[in-house]
Amino acid sequence: MKYRLLFLFALTFSVLPLYAQQPSYDGLNNTLGNLSRLSSAKSFSVTPENLTGEKGKGSMVREGTAARAARELGQGWKENPFVVIKPGETFTLADIQGPGAVQHIWMTPTGNWRLSILRFYWDDEKDASIEVPVGDFFAMGWGSYSRLSSVPVAVNPGSAFNCYWMMPFRRHAKVTLENTDRNPMTIYYEIDYTSTVVPADAAYFHAQFRRINPLPYKNVYTILDNVQGRGQYVGTYIAWGSHSSGWWGEGEVKFYLDGDKEFPTINSTGTEDYFGGSYNFENQKTHQYEEFTSPYSGLVQVIRPDGLYESQQRFGLYRWHIPDPVRFSTDLRVTIQALGWQSDNRYLPLMDDIASVAYWYQLEPHQKFPPLPDRDHLEIH
């Protein structure tokens, strides 16, 4: 018994240094497997009720946008739950000192989602790393609601946009929303972030919007180009408007990596295959397009002609490269072909309306983005 107690005593003290040597947890990359781990990370949230996100400063606004509703209750009773952005104005949603990471964004903007431009700036950069119409950023490029359930993006009733992409920064993060419409817009929002040490190998989140309508005959649509540096591609959203009858998704998605010229390193076998479907997204019993959302891919939206003014078929598709990021060391270009069918079993190069968002991480600095289309060429017709 005596020797047994001595053995247990020695074993206990031999294990304690192992616990002491465990690296401290930075509070990032949270999963069910590590939620029990304590961290020195601090949690904050920016909302219209706490525009600076400061500790202990929530619900202090007096005479806010809902002051009339709270007039009998006073300060602390939801006096400023939303902001109004006037036509032509840019509103700063968040201005955060680092280091840290944005971990969740919720918002429900009114107005024209294609004409409201969301921008993120990391570490005091002059050019935004994210510049995307707010609807397209949340995979709602056609300006109308559809339910979406995926890992990094969720769109819930009645028009609740949620984003769970982790966005680390080291010195500073700034988020703005520009209203390019001719009408004011109202936005409720919440940006949840953590203040913590950021790993040395953590890259910055980027997202870029493009749109061509119509795609010139026999041209290949470019989703992303002129990316220089090291990083990984993590997602694609496309709002595809068909200008022809028949199937529109025969084209391949191609990834040109690290010096690829004429031919890519990675290419899909077809549009619906890349987005996780097969055989035209057709339900084999109803012979109709079948919408679906899943953790990493989906045909989230099918807008069908109504026999009057909604004359074109329109589609919203997403593919998140989370289990399978496309890694690059020096450069990246991503394209998609627009192909249908014509007589004699021949491919038909299509001239469709295509808008896209590319999502990726890379080390800064990034190359300057192409200018956004002007207001008339952003607008959905």
Side-chain angles (χ1 to χ4, degrees):
M1 184 68 178
K2 174 182 177 182
Y3 292 107
R4 190 175 180 184
L5 289 172
L6 286 172
F7 172 76
L8 291 173
F9 183 79
L11 180 63
T12 300
F13 279 89
S14 67
V15 171
L16 282 175
L18 295 178
Y19 286 102
Q21 292 169 15
Q22 290 290 319
S24 59
Y25 177 44
D26 57 20
L28 305 175
N29 297 305
N30 298 305
T31 69
L32 285 175
N34 63 16
L35 278 178
S36 64
R37 294 193 63 186
L38 299 177
S39 173
S40 59
K42 304 296 183 183
S43 299
F44 299 93
S45 181
V46 179
T47 71
E49 292 276 31
N50 186 358
L51 290 167
T52 64
E54 293 177 77
K55 176 177 169 51
K57 295 293 181 71
S59 298
M60 290 183 65
V61 177
R62 292 180 180 270
E63 298 302 318
T65 52
R68 179 171 175 77
R71 64 188 181 277
E72 295 178 0
L73 300 174
Q75 188 180 25
W77 288 88
K78 199 175 178 178
E79 288 207 35
N80 200 61
F82 62 89
V83 296
V84 177
I85 307 177
K86 296 178 182 179
E89 279 193 352
T90 297
F91 182 80
T92 298
L93 299 175
D95 195 316
I96 306 166
Q97 297 302 311
V102 174
Q103 295 181 305
H104 170 240
I105 300 169
W106 167 87
M107 62 176 59
T108 179
T110 66
N112 191 319
W113 297 341
R114 178 59 67 79
L115 300 182
S116 302
I117 312 302
L118 190 62
R119 294 182 177 92
F120 288 64
Y121 303 82
W122 308 125
D123 294 355
D124 303 307
E125 62 187 355
K126 293 182 180 179
D127 297 319
S129 289
I130 297 170
E131 186 178 48
V132 182
V134 68
D136 295 82
F137 184 79
F138 292 92
M140 294 288 114
W142 292 112
S144 61
Y145 165 82
S146 287
R147 175 71 187 274
L148 193 163
S149 298
S150 75
V151 171
V153 176
V155 180
N156 302 323
S159 60
F161 295 170
N162 290 270
C163 164
Y164 298 93
W165 294 110
M166 193 181 76
M167 305 180 189
F169 54 93
R170 290 174 172 83
R171 297 189 305 276
H172 183 238
K174 182 179 177 181
V175 185
T176 68
L177 187 63
E178 180 187 7
N179 179 13
T180 70
D181 201 0
R182 295 190 177 94
N183 300 304
M185 67 171 294
T186 297
I187 181 168
Y188 296 76
Y189 73 95
E190 180 172 339
I191 299 175
D192 300 315
Y193 69 97
T194 186
S195 175
T196 188
V197 175
V198 173
D201 61 355
Y204 295 87
F205 191 73
H206 292 69
Q208 183 185 116
F209 173 85
R210 296 188 181 209
R211 198 263 184 108
I212 295 179
N213 181 29
L215 182 68
Y217 184 62
K218 290 188 178 180
N219 275 26
V220 172
Y221 180 83
T222 297
I223 297 170
L224 184 63
D225 196 5
N226 197 33
V227 173
Q228 305 291 325
R230 183 183 177 194
Q232 49 264 3
Y233 187 90
V234 296
T236 307
Y237 167 72
I238 288 185
W240 193 300
S242 178
H243 289 332
S244 304
S245 60
W247 173 234
W248 47 272
E250 207 61 48
E252 296 180 333
V253 179
K254 302 178 186 291
F255 290 85
Y256 297 82
L257 312 172
D258 302 336
D260 289 344
K261 300 299 182 187
E262 184 177 1
F263 299 104
T265 295
I266 298 172
N267 67 282
S268 68
T269 58
T271 301
E272 80 273 45
D273 309 331
Y274 171 74
F275 287 103
S278 68
Y279 293 106
N280 309 357
F281 301 117
E282 181 182 340
N283 182 302
Q284 297 302 308
K285 291 184 177 180
T286 65
H287 300 293
Q288 298 290 314
Y289 287 109
E290 183 171 353
E291 299 94 325
F292 72 98
T293 69
S294 68
Y296 306 118
S297 64
L299 175 67
V300 63
Q301 199 164 38
V302 179
I303 299 175
R304 295 167 172 83
D306 66 358
L308 189 60
Y309 299 123
E310 292 288 340
S311 60
Q312 306 303 118
Q313 289 207 102
R314 291 166 169 172
F315 307 89
L317 312 102
Y318 67 88
R319 168 76 155 87
W320 312 135
H321 293 265
I322 295 176
D324 58 338
V326 179
R327 301 189 185 276
F328 56 93
S329 297
T330 59
D331 57 89
L332 173 67
R333 176 164 58 100
V334 186
T335 66
I336 185 170
Q337 300 162 329
L339 282 179
W341 290 100
Q342 58 182 321
S343 62
D344 301 323
N345 200 31
R346 292 175 296 148
Y347 292 136
L348 172 65
L350 299 173
M351 302 173 67
D352 284 346
D353 175 2
I354 305 176
S356 64
V357 182
Y359 307 79
W360 77 100
Y361 288 92
Q362 74 161 91
L363 298 176
E364 295 287 9
H366 67 269
Q367 298 295 105
K368 190 176 179 67
F369 290 4
L372 280 179
D374 62 29
R375 185 181 179 279
D376 288 342
H377 289 87
L378 277 174
E379 196 168 3
I380 298 165
H381 301 290

